[in-house]
Amino acid sequence: MNVKNPLAAAARMGWGLLLGAALIAAAWPSTAACAQTLTTLYSFAGSDGMYPLDHDTLIFDSSGNLEGTTLYGGVNGAGTVFELTPSGTETPLYNFTGGSDGGTPFGGLIADASGNLYGTTASGGTYGDGTVFELTPSGTLIVLYSFTGNSDGGTPYSGLVADASGNLYGTTVYGGNFDNGVVFKLTKSTTTPWPETVLHAFTGDSDGGYPEAGLIFDASGNLYGTTAFGGSSDVGAVFKLSPSARPPWTETPLYSFAGETDGSFPLGSLIFDTSGNLYGTTMEGGSLGYGTVFKLTPSATPPWTETLLYSFSGNDGASPVAGLIADAAGNLYGTTEYGGANGQGTVFKLALPASFKGVPGQPNCI
């Protein structure tokens, strides 16, 4: 995997290794969060996977099993797709080799109605710059696309989202015309590779650069995401992509972080509330520099208005890298990679007004 930005590389290859373990412990059952009780459901041993889910959350299948990825480990040391049953039995559904099938899957998974799983790997594939894959219920892995690392993008860290036609959308950290990453679309096809379209190539300037997070749709088919760098202060931005008859889509920077109390380096995906406000996290910044939870309120003309919802102090957590999830009561939940009583990260709950009623537009199924 190419390493072209030292901070991004450090964040992913070092700081990014603890998050998934916290998600495994916190995600199931949902009543545990309400009672403020954390239960460890499974501890990875290495041969069955290591460092789960650096970027995204787990998903449930139709039987109530949890499914996700591990960055490393497995039979070949190149990562796995795994399943965890309600009784705590873990099964590697696929062991990546790091070769043409891909390796080091940072992002999570989505599923279709037939139980096929879709995800990305940050390395491997035909050209060594990552893949988009489909994993069938029988355990057969199909590489839908191999990135070249050139204008088509390279090194996807995030998972995918899908439209109603089964087309897949995602981001790559590198590649594109300016080597600052892309937003891509894979058009569903009966043959491989699926046709790829670059919807936007980041310049690294005001439009952002190095997108590590996944995307979300609004009801009108616009895509929203974050970039780890770029923007007016080069510490990250929030953007919107509006569909166009021909690519590229129209990109609008909604907010550029200043790197001060408003936060810096947003690495996680966003979520909506029912009023169209966006919520997310930044790895650094805030009043004490340990990261933030933020809200963006729509404005007729950018920038959108940012509200700092919470600044981490270190004792309550530090470096929130992943995005957030919400419950119907208006609470936000997330993780930090560091801080807390033992310095090894936290799972947190942040109460918001009752007007927050959930997260439309980002299903786990396609």
Side-chain angles (χ1 to χ4, degrees):
M1 177 168 58
N2 296 325
V3 177
K4 302 177 182 179
N5 188 295
L7 179 54
R12 304 282 48 81
M13 304 308 290
W15 300 350
L17 300 183
L18 299 174
L19 173 62
L23 286 170
I24 292 285
W28 194 24
S30 58
T31 53
C34 299
Q36 297 300 301
T37 300
L38 186 144
T39 302
T40 299
L41 301 175
Y42 186 77
S43 295
F44 289 92
S47 60
D48 53 356
M50 295 171 59
Y51 310 132
L53 285 164
D54 183 75
H55 262 71
D56 296 319
T57 56
L58 300 160
I59 64 171
F60 283 104
D61 68 12
S62 58
S63 301
N65 303 306
L66 288 169
E67 292 168 334
T69 62
T70 66
L71 182 60
Y72 295 116
V75 173
N76 306 301
T80 70
V81 175
F82 69 86
E83 177 182 273
L84 185 65
T85 68
S87 64
T89 300
E90 193 260 9
T91 303
L93 302 178
Y94 189 80
N95 289 276
F96 291 96
T97 69
S100 61
D101 62 336
T104 56
F106 276 85
L109 304 165
I110 58 175
D112 65 18
S114 299
N116 300 301
L117 299 173
Y118 299 82
T120 65
T121 67
S123 64
T126 303
Y127 308 98
D129 284 279
T131 70
V132 175
F133 66 84
E134 174 186 354
L135 184 63
T136 69
S138 65
T140 300
L141 186 129
I142 303 167
V143 175
L144 303 179
Y145 190 80
S146 287
F147 293 95
T148 69
N150 297 314
S151 61
D152 63 332
T155 316
Y157 280 168
S158 68
L160 303 161
V161 292
D163 63 20
S165 299
N167 304 308
L168 301 174
Y169 301 76
T171 63
T172 69
V173 180
Y174 303 124
N177 293 336
F178 307 95
D179 206 18
N180 284 284
V182 306
V183 175
F184 67 86
K185 172 185 177 180
L186 291 187
T187 302
K188 187 174 182 179
S189 173
T190 57
T191 60
T192 58
W194 287 16
E196 195 235 25
T197 304
V198 173
L199 303 181
H200 182 75
F202 292 94
T203 67
D205 295 324
S206 60
D207 64 332
Y210 303 108
E212 299 197 12
L215 304 164
I216 58 172
F217 277 110
D218 68 13
S220 300
N222 302 300
L223 288 169
Y224 297 77
T226 64
T227 65
F229 293 89
S232 58
S233 300
D234 200 26
V235 291
V238 176
F239 66 88
K240 170 185 176 182
L241 276 185
S242 302
S244 176
R246 293 184 178 181
W249 286 16
T250 302
E251 201 251 17
T252 304
L254 301 179
Y255 187 80
S256 289
F257 292 92
E260 299 173 354
T261 56
D262 67 332
S264 55
F265 309 122
L267 305 185
S269 301
L270 301 164
I271 57 174
F272 276 116
D273 68 14
T274 53
S275 298
N277 303 302
L278 289 170
Y279 297 76
T281 62
T282 66
M283 184 178 72
E284 296 182 10
S287 57
L288 297 171
Y290 290 99
T292 73
V293 177
F294 67 86
K295 171 186 174 181
L296 288 183
T297 302
S299 173
T301 58
W304 287 16
T305 302
E306 196 226 29
T307 302
L308 186 65
L309 299 178
Y310 193 78
S311 288
F312 290 93
S313 68
N315 293 326
D316 53 359
S319 300
V321 170
L324 304 163
I325 59 172
D327 64 20
N331 303 302
L332 296 175
Y333 299 81
T335 61
T336 68
E337 293 199 279
Y338 292 115
N342 301 308
Q344 299 299 308
T346 67
V347 178
F348 64 85
K349 170 185 175 182
L350 183 63
L352 290 178
S355 58
F356 190 99
K357 295 297 183 183
V359 189
Q362 192 173 7
N364 285 330
C365 295
I366 61 176

